[in-house]
Amino acid sequence: MTKAGLRQGMLHHLKYSLGKDPAHAQVRDWRVALSLAVRDRIVDPWFAATRATYGGRHKRVYYLSMEFLIGRLLEDAIVNLGLLDEAEEVFREYDVSFGDVLANEPDAALGNGGLGRLAACFLDSLSTLACPAYGYGIRYEHGLFRQRFVDGRQVEEPETWLSDTHAWEFQRPEAAFEIGFGGEVAETGSRALWQPGESVIAEAHDTPIIGWRGNWANTLRLWSARPTRLFDLERFNRGEFAAAAEPEALARTISRVLYPDDTTEQGKALRLKQEYFFTAASLRDILRRFRSEYDDLRKLPLKVAIQLNDTHPAIAGPELVRLLHDENGIDFDDAVAIARACLSYTNHTLMPEALERWSEALLGSLLPRHMKLIERIDDTHARQHPDRKMRIREDGDVRMGELSFVMAHKVNGVSALHTDLMRQTVFAELNRLHPDRIVNETNGVTPRRWLLSCNPRLSALIDRTIGNDWVGDLERLSELEPHVEDSGFRADFAAAKAENKAELARFILETENIAVDPEAMFDIQIKRIHEYKRQHMNILETIALWQAIRDNPDAGWTPRVKIFAGKAAPGYVLAKKIIHLINDVARLVNSDPVTSSLLKVVFMPNYNVTLAERLIPAADLSEQISTAGKEASGTGNMKLALNGALTIGTRDGANVEIRERVGAENFFLFGMTAPEAVARRAVPDHATRAIEASPVLARAIAAIEAGVFSPGDPERYRDVVENLRWSDYFLVCSDFDSYYASQREADAVFMDRDRWIRMSVRNTARSGWFSSDRTIRGYMNDIWGVQSIV
Ligand code: GL7
């Protein structure tokens, strides 16, 4: 498409969709007009993809996920359609800042963290690879809460991404299904009929997702809930206005908010309702589409692959069995076999508190027929495997991981280490019974967003050096490797990073009013706040460094800016305390005249996809410091390495594979391995011993206890410190010395700037394997049995 075409489309929408004259258009009007013009360009390839899929009678992939953390869509679409230069030029003509137009789009924060962002990267790759696919999820009215700090404490505010026009979606009032809850089950012989006691309507909203080069588009179909009956007219006429509106309010509650959890289970009835709501609507839709083409439901697995993103859609197993058996008369054992051949399940965490369980009582009352089917699935499986000790049901609960495993033909982990640990721990017995079921698909990230769009300076340098085929084939970044010996290339590489850092420094000054030295090492930890991710180990190290600099300010320290960003789950008291501590440390350290040219601490509020896009290109050092065995994969670690940051990290999750690929000499490794961590935890008083053995750590902890960072309130961090001293399940104390030493090694290397840049280039050149295109190819071959359509 030409610049003229884009201009014309945009002016058309400005006039006819928004009713605005260019002379009076606001940034928001331009943004919506541009989005609609770009969306118009997606419709044809979208239809063509649908036609090709029907025409070729191809198998489709259905990715069921409670979360799609897609962020902003406009720039992605423009980049994938190759319209970036054209769009920039058009806005120059109208003297409107293109950057402001892009920044006007709200972030679609329909996810908490890595799990939701992975689903978004997968959508981009599925379209790029021309794999016929649908993403299915919930159209939350309010995505992840907005984070503010008040006196250093996290305050949550509702997020309102839909309050302005959402230009991307097509409402589909005709694609609606009635979803029932509760009620009774009438059994007649071996068949049963479920009569739900209440119901809501699931209504579809479609967003087309265009792939790289604009050849293929898939659909993200999000369900919103509306009442079967709008309001109670009788009550309204009696003047009971609030009561009359009740059914509507109740129904809408289901798609009202995203649960703000991250790797902790949320045991709420409403959450279970959300899970069943979107899973049931999606399955109904999948069967409707299948039936429009084929009449034998037994052939379902030939045409349908359903991926369960974690256990949140685990009820898909019993629901599909119910649809096949109760509603279509297929024999129970056959129904289970058909469902299993369609379903596969991705596990994203081994943390016991995050593995979903629902009480049989709750399941039985909300989904009575499903509870009976789960019992039957469990009993049948136990009969088939008499030596089985574990069951799907345990202590009055249904374990959703076990249910998903039993109902899936493939179960995958998200990094090599995590998959091994799955085989050895949570699913050890099931793995023994079904040794071929578990496979590994190491996570990846889309290079379109996480290098091409977010880091234009580095992307342009790569284009100039090796051409631009790397965007669709990221392993070609390896062609950069020989250029590491070229001093001109190294200088350009360093300049791109330096400019990115200068830009971030300006942003930090503007938004946080903190002046940071762009020449200093930008040391970045960005992710949800969690004890296992150990932001508190990072802040302890910061305190220790600050103390060491004060002791001897002229010892040739490497200047550092410690940057943190991330949200804590609102109910996670200790995580919120850690945020407060980091902010308190920042306040004191940043105003210390002795250290302020050498050390700054910045906690950027409201971490989201857009902020990540700003921070990642400017990072020198990537903090990936979780307790070994706890981070299933991580994906931020990949984005940072791809953008040339060096990792300081443990042998956890995908760090292991990153280190293998970028080379051990280009990675700052520290800390215990996963088995060592398990052994260490068994040592009585491991934390106290570690503190006694480390004067540096002891002194940092003592400063917190003395109220150095909370003057007049020395008790403020009592729980954080007591937890470290007396329990320290995540082994902060035991790993501390190793971490501190590794940080000093990073300091030394950073002083040798040429060596650092060589290491940085190698990180970028060797990160090509971490493309989500590679990951999706793995799923297509190993799990779904589908092919790209060319
Ligand atoms: C997570 C893991 O914690 C994270 O390590 C992984 O990269 C991500 C995607 O596979 O999934 N599991 C999880 O429950 N959340 C994650 O981010 C919220």
Side-chain angles (χ1 to χ4, degrees), residues 131-416:
C131 171
Y134 282 77
Y136 275 118
I138 298 178
R139 185 179 180 271
Y140 300 105
E141 248 174 82
H142 303 286
L144 190 61
F145 66 87
R146 250 187 243 146
Q147 179 194 53
R148 273 198 313 130
F149 298 136
V150 175
D151 298 330
R153 285 187 189 83
Q154 169 176 295
V155 173
E156 301 96 27
E157 284 171 353
E159 186 282 334
T160 54
W161 72 296
L162 285 176
S163 62
D164 191 5
T165 321
H166 181 43
W168 295 105
E169 68 183 10
F170 294 92
Q171 193 181 354
R172 303 291 192 208
E174 78 287 1
F177 298 95
E178 188 167 340
I179 307 299
F181 299 97
E184 318 271 302
V185 179
E187 310 224 18
T188 49
S190 84
R191 293 204 38 205
L193 208 68
W194 175 30
Q195 296 270 279
E198 50 168 342
S199 64
V200 297
I201 308 278
E203 186 182 278
H205 297 257
D206 289 350
T207 300
I209 307 286
I210 188 82
W212 171 236
R213 296 212 192 279
N215 295 323
W216 187 274
N218 287 317
T219 306
L220 171 60
R221 175 160 275 195
L222 300 178
W223 301 103
S224 68
R226 63 175 162 85
T228 42
R229 207 160 48 119
L230 253 191
F231 68 98
D232 193 329
L233 188 59
E234 238 176 75
R235 290 178 112 174
F236 187 88
N237 288 340
R238 284 204 302 268
E240 299 165 19
F241 304 127
E246 238 168 57
E248 174 165 21
L250 262 177
R252 294 208 195 272
T253 305
I254 292 186
S255 53
R256 179 93 69 199
V257 285
L258 166 77
Y259 272 94
D261 263 281
D262 183 80
T263 56
T264 47
E265 182 217 340
Q266 200 26 278
K268 295 267 167 64
L270 179 60
R271 167 106 181 166
L272 179 58
K273 271 191 168 178
Q274 289 184 327
E275 295 182 353
Y276 178 66
F277 165 77
F278 97 94
T279 304
S282 307
L283 287 178
R284 223 75 53 95
D285 202 36
I286 293 166
L287 289 194
R288 178 196 54 73
R289 192 169 300 112
F290 177 84
R291 281 232 181 75
S292 73
E293 291 180 276
Y294 312 98
D295 39 44
D296 185 359
L297 276 174
R298 289 169 190 274
K299 300 233 165 78
L300 199 65
L302 295 176
K303 300 295 172 189
V304 168
I306 302 170
Q307 189 66 35
L308 308 180
N309 194 26
D310 218 289
T311 55
H312 316 143
I315 200 71
E319 172 69 0
L320 189 49
V321 171
R322 188 185 72 79
L323 294 171
L324 296 171
H325 177 59
D326 291 357
E327 300 206 346
N328 288 281
I330 294 178
D331 179 67
F332 175 78
D333 291 333
D334 290 352
V336 170
I338 295 167
R340 183 178 294 131
C342 293
L343 295 166
S344 42
Y345 151 57
T346 306
N347 172 279
H348 291 273
T349 182
L350 305 172
M351 310 256 296
E353 66 270 32
L355 296 171
E356 278 191 305
R357 312 168 95 155
W358 293 108
S359 78
E360 291 189 47
L362 177 64
L363 261 171
S365 76
L366 212 57
L367 301 168
R369 178 56 183 153
H370 300 76
M371 191 57 235
K372 289 258 182 272
L373 288 167
I374 291 168
E375 284 165 19
R376 198 159 164 200
I377 290 165
D378 196 17
D379 293 344
T380 308
H381 188 260
R383 248 197 327 277
Q384 287 163 348
H385 304 279
D387 54 339
R388 171 146 206 223
K389 291 188 206 73
M390 312 253 277
R391 299 287 295 257
I392 294 173
R393 291 165 299 161
E394 187 196 60
D395 302 335
D397 282 344
V398 176
R399 302 189 297 169
M400 303 309 268
E402 320 285 314
L403 174 63
S404 303
F405 192 114
V406 168
M407 285 307 301
H409 68 286
K410 289 288 179 208
V411 175
N412 77 286
V414 289
S415 74

Side-chain angles (χ1 to χ4, degrees), residues 84-128:
L84 195 58
D85 294 341
E86 286 79 355
E88 273 172 357
E89 282 168 32
V90 170
F91 281 103
R92 257 199 300 278
E93 287 171 19
Y94 288 90
D95 202 19
V96 173
S97 151
F98 182 49
D100 289 353
V101 171
L102 294 180
N104 181 261
E105 185 179 1
D107 252 55
L110 310 185
N112 275 283
L115 176 149
R117 182 55 232 176
L118 184 76
C121 284
F122 281 5
L123 291 177
D124 182 83
S125 287
L126 284 161
S127 291
T128 294

